[in-house]
Amino acid sequence: MPSYTRFLTMISTSTIIMYGLMYLNTFSLDHVYFSETRAYMALYMGAVMTVVMLAFMWGMYKNTFANVGIILVATLVFAGSLFAVRSQNPIADVTWMKAMIPHHSIEILTSSRANLSDPRVQALANEIIEAQRREIDEMQRLIAELEGRTSPPGQ
């Protein structure tokens, strides 16, 4: 009989990996910050994956009481983390900027690497790149100031 500990370990590991994968499309490594928002997103994805995987493996995991409990907990984790992402209620100044920097970095990556041929579209992409870099620099300065440091990381 499969182990519920192994199932939990598999779900936890996958959720952590999903969190990390969300950073693969950032333009620059110095744009990677811990993001509370992305953590909530990874949690709700992990919660959904828990239910889906358990449903596919229901025959392997015979304890109906445990299975229903897992589904209930996954549902609560999903609802709580979705609420946190959608409301942004727990997100404050620094945590907001640490979530926005990777988001802006994605715009730099996609705008700088797209195969653009129309000069108007290329001009728009260049404006986006410039704006996002300026905003990232400003957010990094504000984070350093609000965290009591004198300069942004790497400077």
Side-chain angles (χ1 to χ4, degrees), residues 72-107:
L72 288 174
V73 169
T75 301
L76 290 173
V77 169
F78 174 81
S81 55
L82 181 62
F83 174 78
V85 168
R86 298 287 303 169
S87 72
Q88 290 291 294
N89 193 40
I91 308 302
D93 296 335
V94 171
T95 53
W96 175 77
M97 288 185 289
K98 287 182 177 182
M100 291 304 294
I101 289 172
H103 170 76
H104 281 37
S105 186
I106 292 166
E107 293 180 51

Side-chain angles (χ1 to χ4, degrees), residues 47-62:
V48 170
M49 185 176 60
T50 299
V51 173
V52 170
M53 291 181 77
L54 188 58
F56 272 94
M57 297 186 289
W58 195 271
M60 293 170 51
Y61 292 92
K62 308 269 188 213

